[in-house]
Amino acid sequence: MERDTILLVDDSEIICSIIKDILESPDLHIEIAHTGEKGIRMARELRPTLILLDIIMYGMDGYETCKILKKDEETKDIPIIFITGNNDSNSLLKGFEVGAADYVSKPFIAEELKARVKVHMQNIKNQRKLQILMEELRELAITDSLTKLYNRRYFLDKINDLVKMDTIFSLILFDVDYFKSINDTYGHNAGDLVLTGLSQIFKLILREEDIISRWGGEEFMICLPNMAVEEAFKVAEKLRLEVSKFEFQYEDNTFHCTITGGIAEYEAKLPVDRNITKIDFALYTGKSSGKNCCILA
Ligand SMILES: [Mg+2]
């Protein structure tokens, strides 16, 4: 388990050692600073999960320290709990105004201090989890779960962006030949293996800027930015050849598979679906004339 750090900023050594005694545990580490300036430096270096900050200190006081921490991009999200001797509502209010998340009053009740710290630590952890979850959701929304390639919707968004930027590009649409018979002969896991294997081959050979998507069941659409169709045809042929040479291994079986491709240069003056129909037709022509070939639209 990851060990959390709390930064404790208080000019009193006695207070620091009392708090340290109360809070420190195997999964919670306490770092101490005795001035606001040092506290700010340490906060930047250590990125603690939480800061406990004394209000009345020699030199820079807690309010001032808090203001600086809250202005700094690197430390602004760290929750700050004020340690206060004066319970009057004005000083508490001022604490919240400068950005404190909470306060604890001296003298401490150990259980109260622990409970408040725990609540804020839990909050910050939940926020982090939520952030990770959001990133995962975004990833899920734009990729195909099996091949990790972009999905059709994201691919269409990307080519739409290229059109807007007046970038020329070519498209290749590949379909796996006799995919049904691969599934029927070796099982659906073998079929999945073919799809992920093809994705790997495409990624390996294509450029960083090329956009590869899983278009449908066993179809892949590839966008080659800044590439005229003659060049795209060569790329498609290279991919087709590499795939045909590749030996798939599933359980005790070894087999080959081939792909058929349609290639077209995207015509920005035509709507998207017309462009897709054109390339679909080229693919269909390849399929009906023996498969394992590439056809220019
Ligand atoms: Mg003090």
Side-chain angles (χ1 to χ4, degrees):
M1 202 178 117
E2 205 187 317
R3 205 171 181 215
D4 284 299
T5 298
I6 287 185
L7 174 63
L8 170 57
V9 189
D10 196 308
D11 57 356
S12 154
E13 290 195 22
I14 297 163
I15 296 284
C16 286
S17 78
I18 293 172
I19 294 180
K20 197 176 158 102
D21 277 350
I22 295 174
L23 293 179
E24 197 155 54
S25 73
D27 50 342
L28 191 57
H29 174 68
I30 314 288
E31 287 280 345
I32 290 170
H34 290 304
T35 64
E37 290 89 344
K38 180 126 193 262
I40 291 165
R41 259 203 320 278
M42 285 174 73
R44 283 186 190 132
E45 269 168 41
L46 300 169
R47 305 286 187 90
T49 315
L50 187 79
I51 298 172
L52 283 169
L53 179 58
D54 184 22
I55 292 185
I56 300 162
M57 290 187 289
Y58 292 110
M60 188 188 287
D61 69 7
Y63 300 126
E64 201 49 43
T65 309
C66 184
K67 273 190 206 163
I68 295 173
L69 287 168
K70 288 295 160 190
K71 262 187 222 151
D72 190 325
E73 202 52 44
E74 312 218 342
T75 54
K76 72 177 172 53
D77 293 324
I78 307 169
I80 294 173
I81 298 181
F82 270 129
I83 303 163
T84 166
N86 25 352
N87 250 330
D88 69 286
S89 52
N90 271 345
S91 55
L92 295 182
L93 201 61
K94 195 172 168 192
F96 287 119
E97 271 169 14
V98 294
D102 204 352
Y103 69 90
V104 286
S105 350
K106 287 181 271 197
F108 305 110
I109 300 161
E111 291 313 313
E112 184 193 339
L113 178 62
K114 274 190 202 169
R116 289 197 190 245
V117 164
K118 196 175 159 192
V119 165
H120 290 284
M121 302 274 275
Q122 199 54 50
N123 274 348
I124 201 95
K125 278 181 198 170
N126 289 344
Q127 270 173 33
R128 279 185 204 148
K129 271 192 215 154
L130 200 63
Q131 239 165 28
I132 293 170
L133 203 64
M134 295 294 279
E135 276 158 31
E136 284 173 0
L137 276 177
R138 188 186 172 267
E139 201 60 28
L140 272 177
I142 66 169
T143 52
D144 163 56
S145 59
L146 176 69
T147 60
K148 311 290 175 222
L149 297 177
Y150 292 123
N151 58 26
R152 179 195 284 244
R153 192 178 56 202
Y154 183 79
F155 184 88
L156 288 171
D157 283 349
K158 290 311 264 188
I159 63 170
N160 192 28
D161 290 347
L162 292 175
V163 171
K164 277 186 196 152
M165 290 185 295
D166 285 326
T167 307
I168 68 132
F169 59 94
S170 295
L171 296 176
I172 306 172
L173 179 60
F174 276 126
D175 185 89
V176 183
D177 299 330
Y178 306 107
F179 188 66
K180 191 179 175 305
S181 90
I182 295 171
N183 278 320
D184 291 347
T185 314
Y186 308 109
H188 285 275
N189 286 339
D192 285 352
L193 179 84
V194 166
L195 298 175
T196 49
L198 293 179
S199 318
Q200 301 292 336
I201 296 172
F202 295 158
K203 276 185 194 165
L204 211 64
I205 295 175
L206 292 165
R207 304 167 303 173
E208 192 69 36
E209 64 262 44
D210 298 331
I211 309 158
I212 318 168
S213 76
R214 183 161 177 211
W215 190 248
E218 66 265 31
E219 283 186 334
F220 297 89
M221 183 79 91
I222 298 163
C223 168
L224 306 154
N226 298 305
M227 196 184 281
V229 75
E230 299 79 18
E231 199 58 35
F233 183 80
K234 287 182 200 157
V235 173
E237 273 292 291
K238 184 174 167 57
L239 292 171
R240 185 188 63 78
L241 262 170
E242 287 301 323
V243 168
S244 69
K245 283 190 279 184
F246 191 81
E247 204 165 68
F248 288 92
Q249 279 180 330
Y250 180 68
E251 291 179 342
D252 293 335
N253 303 300
T254 331
F255 57 91
H256 283 83
C257 101
T258 59
I259 51 177
T260 299
I263 300 103
E265 192 163 312
Y266 193 89
E267 288 183 74
K269 62 178 191 298
L270 295 179
V272 181
D273 49 344
R274 286 280 302 281
N275 274 286
I276 304 289
T277 313
K278 209 171 64 175
I279 198 165
D280 256 338
F281 189 73
L283 173 62
Y284 175 78
T285 310
K287 284 282 182 186
S288 56
S289 61
K291 304 183 173 64
N292 191 19
C293 61
C294 290
I295 302 290
L296 259 180

